[in-house]
Amino acid sequence: MILQIKEQVETNSGEIEKLAFDIIKPYCKDLDMYVKFIKDCLKDGENPPTDAELDDFCLNLSTYLYFAGGMCEQLGIRDDMGKALYKETYNETRSRLDGGTVADKDSIAELNARKEYIVSSAYTRAYKMMKSKIENGQELLQSVKKVISRRMQESDLTRIGGSGK
């Protein structure tokens, strides 16, 4: 019994997850591709990124984050509309019911609005996923800036130390 419930949760959540990924894909495709590019550059432990590559990471990542932030707000609007459509369907169904208890009316209204609820949930998840990607991208940008700063300090120390010889 418990395994059947778990399986049903996995199946249903998989549908919402797929829908959420399909929703955010066009919004964060460029950012995802660029972060993957950075990850691939960092895989080569013997050849750390050059100063020029770090500058490129910093400038491009900032640009992708700027546009992703605007797109995240567009997702927020869609999230709000999904919630509004769910509430509208729920309330319309509920208002048409004449007989039954309050609990009965609530149950019937929730059943009639379940598709709207699923879509609304997918948009909520998509918005949160996009927001998380932006926050993580900002952390990555801060890390790149720290590496650039450290390299600049090391260069200054080497230059100062080397000029006294």
Side-chain angles (χ1 to χ4, degrees):
M1 179 70 167
I2 292 174
L3 291 178
Q4 290 173 336
I5 295 170
K6 180 185 177 288
E7 190 174 304
Q8 187 176 3
V9 167
E10 291 296 324
T11 300
N12 293 345
S13 64
E15 291 175 20
I16 292 175
E17 188 175 294
K18 183 186 179 321
L19 184 55
F21 279 119
D22 288 346
I23 290 167
I24 69 166
K25 190 175 184 178
Y27 291 93
C28 64
K29 183 178 79 171
D30 293 338
L31 179 61
D32 284 342
M33 286 177 28
Y34 197 72
V35 170
K36 185 182 179 323
F37 167 74
I38 292 173
K39 179 183 175 192
D40 291 343
C41 289
L42 297 175
K43 279 184 181 177
D44 184 2
E46 292 184 25
N47 297 308
T50 65
D51 292 346
E53 288 174 322
L54 288 173
D55 289 343
D56 181 70
F57 295 168
C58 194
L59 292 172
N60 284 313
L61 199 51
S62 295
T63 302
Y64 288 122
L65 286 168
Y66 170 83
F67 287 108
M71 292 177 193
C72 189
E73 289 307 312
Q74 290 177 4
L75 265 179
I77 292 168
R78 285 161 177 75
D79 179 27
D80 292 343
M81 285 306 304
K83 289 174 185 170
L85 286 173
Y86 164 71
K87 287 180 182 178
E88 180 180 339
T89 302
Y90 175 92
N91 289 329
E92 283 179 359
T93 300
R94 182 111 178 26
S95 69
R96 286 193 308 260
L97 298 172
D98 290 330
T101 66
V102 170
D104 291 340
K105 291 178 183 181
D106 289 344
S107 294
I108 292 168
E110 285 178 17
L111 283 173
N112 281 354
R114 70 182 172 271
K115 289 178 184 170
E116 288 81 359
Y117 178 78
I118 289 169
V119 172
S120 174
S121 294
Y123 273 100
T124 298
R125 292 290 149 223
Y127 174 78
K128 289 178 180 181
M129 290 164 64
M130 184 76 180
K131 189 174 176 184
S132 176
K133 286 177 180 273
I134 291 168
E135 289 169 356
N136 291 329
Q138 289 169 338
E139 287 292 323
L140 178 59
L141 177 59
Q142 292 306 314
S143 296
V144 170
K145 288 179 180 181
K146 287 178 184 177
V147 171
I148 291 171
S149 178
R150 189 188 78 232
R151 284 193 184 177
M152 288 173 57
Q153 289 173 349
E154 288 173 357
S155 175
D156 288 347
L157 288 174
T158 303
R159 192 179 67 233
I160 293 169
S163 64
K165 289 184 180 179

